[in-house]
Amino acid sequence: MLHALKDINLTSITDRMPRTSFLPGYELLNLKGSSQAQLHERAYALSRRNFGKEVFVRGVVELSNFCRQNCSYCGMRRDNRALERFRANYEPVAEMLIHHRPQSITDINIQTGEDPIAIRKVVLPLIRAVRKETSLGISVCLGSLSSELYAELQEAGASVYILKFETADNSHYQAMQSPGTLPERIQRIRHLVDNGWRVSSGFIAGLPGQGERELLANFRLASELPLSGCSVSPFIPGDETPQADAPSADIDLTLNCMAALRLMRPDWVIPAVSALNLSEPGAGYRRGLRTGANLVTINLTPEEIRDDYLLYKRERFIMTEERILEAISAEGLRPSKIGLAEFYRTQSLSGEAIPVPAAKVA
Ligand code: SAM
């Protein structure tokens, strides 16, 4: 099995090397035991070389579970009539973010189902208020929207867009009823980058129907896109979805995918997603931090609406500030004082530091 690791020689990667020509094979993604441990150590070492012990800490607020899409794996799909739908009021959320947010967060991520009404009524006013009153970096994860709406969000003050391609195989994408078509989703990612956004994308490991071909396609597509970050989420069968009876993703496959992304792109921001803890209760999240992740997320969604933001199941594992800080400190890591949006402002798209012009001497 070890020969799968010979594809990449860590010592040949110089400090702050932004990208490698590495693409994982199927064998590497299925490593277990000591070869897997070695893979994860290599990914972890690359993260530390590029980012030190710091991890970015972002707060997420989930503000609407209305969705016009019908992804067969997602509990918020429009055909799920069992779900009580909500749109949050932006004022209390703004008040919390401006005056009562956890000290450790430098950025927020605003997430909704694909709901243009919520964007106008809730998201845009919230971004304007946060931009005016705080220096928080603002990420959004709002789905496939029009270029006009993207421009309004950017104008309001958001600078990072999370738009996952979900699965990089055309027919698999269609079978999963993911938003629109795969070429359209990719075109949107490119459009966002062309218009000055930093884009993080991603895919779901262990989706029903994902064989070797579909899995490997995700790495090829990720390597071709102009991304600043990429995530791997473990598939968790969603209640009230056509995939409710499918098996959950294998945690080892998910972590190996994360490690492979890190080997491909030492400069990428790779999140430890909270679903890792559903995949392996009690340990999955911390294993993600040991596999090259350098972004963690504190859930700040108001309690009264959190249960209805249903990606998977009603029993969610809520990542509070306390849990996040405990997990990162247990792994010898610490919250970054530099925010994610601020970090991106100082890096070129290829991951190199942008030289700061010398201050003018009067
Ligand atoms: N509507 C927005 C969009 O399309 O990007 C953002 C919200 S959507 C719920 C966020 C992400 O949740 C999706 O991109 C998908 O990858 C993930 N997701 C949904 N259901 C999932 C499941 N059952 N298992 C793992 N990830 C899932």
Side-chain angles (χ1 to χ4, degrees):
M1 279 298 181
L2 266 182
H3 65 275
L5 283 176
K6 287 203 190 111
D7 300 3
I8 192 158
N9 175 358
L10 184 67
T11 51
S12 72
I13 299 173
T14 57
D15 279 1
R16 305 197 62 81
M17 186 182 220
R19 64 172 78 211
T20 69
S21 54
F22 171 78
L23 274 180
Y26 197 57
E27 194 186 353
L28 181 130
L29 298 174
N30 285 288
L31 286 177
K32 300 243 188 213
S34 60
S35 311
Q36 181 190 36
Q38 210 183 328
L39 166 70
H40 292 192
E41 277 159 26
R42 289 182 178 202
Y44 181 84
L46 278 175
S47 290
R48 303 290 76 82
R49 278 191 189 190
N50 275 270
F51 298 98
K53 288 193 177 299
E54 276 71 29
V55 290
F56 297 109
V57 184
R58 186 161 65 183
V60 65
V61 284
E62 298 147 329
L63 298 182
S64 161
N65 67 356
F66 283 89
C67 190
R68 63 185 177 185
Q69 298 294 348
N70 211 27
C71 308
S72 71
Y73 42 85
C74 183
M76 295 196 299
R77 66 200 307 267
R78 66 170 183 267
D79 280 357
N80 182 0
R81 312 251 180 260
L83 182 63
E84 203 173 311
R85 305 282 171 166
F86 71 84
R87 281 188 193 106
N89 284 330
Y90 89 89
E91 285 97 340
V93 181
E95 164 75 15
M96 177 269 294
L97 289 175
I98 294 165
H99 298 295
H100 309 290
R101 65 179 179 272
Q103 283 310 299
S104 54
I105 68 163
T106 52
D107 293 72
I108 54 158
N109 174 28
I110 303 173
Q111 197 177 118
T112 65
E114 200 171 295
D115 179 12
I117 297 177
I119 295 177
R120 297 223 171 276
K121 290 195 166 157
V122 187
V123 177
L124 281 165
L126 179 65
I127 294 177
R128 291 188 188 111
V130 170
R131 181 66 313 119
K132 184 158 167 257
E133 302 292 340
T134 78
S135 58
L136 288 168
I138 303 176
S139 306
V140 289
C141 178
L142 307 167
S144 296
L145 306 173
S146 66
S147 39
E148 290 74 24
L149 216 37
Y150 289 145
E152 277 189 66
L153 290 160
Q154 194 177 36
E155 172 80 21
S159 63
V160 180
Y161 207 102
I162 300 160
L163 193 65
K164 303 186 196 185
F165 56 75
E166 313 286 47
T167 170
D169 180 86
N170 247 317
S171 44
H172 191 219
Y173 191 96
Q174 261 179 32
M176 291 293 106
Q177 298 171 260
S178 295
T181 64
L182 179 62
E184 284 164 7
R185 193 82 164 174
I186 293 172
Q187 192 276 332
R188 282 194 167 83
I189 291 172
R190 292 192 183 281
H191 169 87
L192 286 160
V193 175
D194 289 346
N195 285 277
W197 289 88
R198 287 312 189 117
V199 176
S200 181
S201 192
F203 62 90
I204 304 175
L207 257 186
Q210 181 182 76
E212 174 174 348
R213 188 168 55 87
E214 290 79 11
L215 183 61
L216 295 182
N218 293 320
F219 293 90
R220 265 196 312 279
L221 179 58
S223 76
E224 288 161 6
L225 291 172
L227 304 177
S228 298
C230 196
S231 69
V232 184
S233 303
F235 167 70
I236 309 286
D239 289 345
E240 314 289 346
T241 70
Q243 316 291 356
D245 296 327
S248 294
D250 179 315
I251 182 78
D252 288 307
L253 174 76
T254 310
L255 294 171
N256 291 352
C257 287
M258 288 174 66
L261 282 184
R262 175 56 74 213
L263 265 51
M264 267 168 61
R265 290 295 298 259
D267 65 315
W268 266 350
V269 172
I270 299 179
V273 300
S274 60
L276 290 171
N277 255 340
L278 291 174
S279 246
E280 187 179 14
Y285 198 80
R286 279 185 52 190
R287 287 184 73 195
L289 292 174
R290 264 177 257 146
T291 314
N294 67 323
L295 167 65
V296 295
T297 305
I298 296 176
N299 193 302
L300 301 177
T301 304
E303 247 170 75
E304 58 286 6
I305 52 181
R306 208 151 59 191
D307 285 351
D308 287 321
Y309 196 83
L310 187 73
L311 264 61
Y312 335 104
K313 296 180 186 305
R314 292 246 165 236
E315 320 84 67
R316 294 182 66 183
F317 190 87
I318 297 301
M319 297 309 287
T320 57
E321 183 182 38
E322 196 186 352
R323 283 177 172 160
I324 288 284
L325 294 182
E326 242 177 60
I328 60 181
S329 112
E331 294 304 325
L333 303 171
R334 54 179 177 251
S336 170
K337 294 212 162 36
I338 299 174
L340 181 62
E342 192 187 343
F343 169 77
Y344 283 147
R345 274 196 292 277
T346 65
Q347 301 284 305
S348 74
L349 247 190
S350 66
E352 276 139 17
I354 296 173
V356 180
K360 276 194 187 146
V361 181

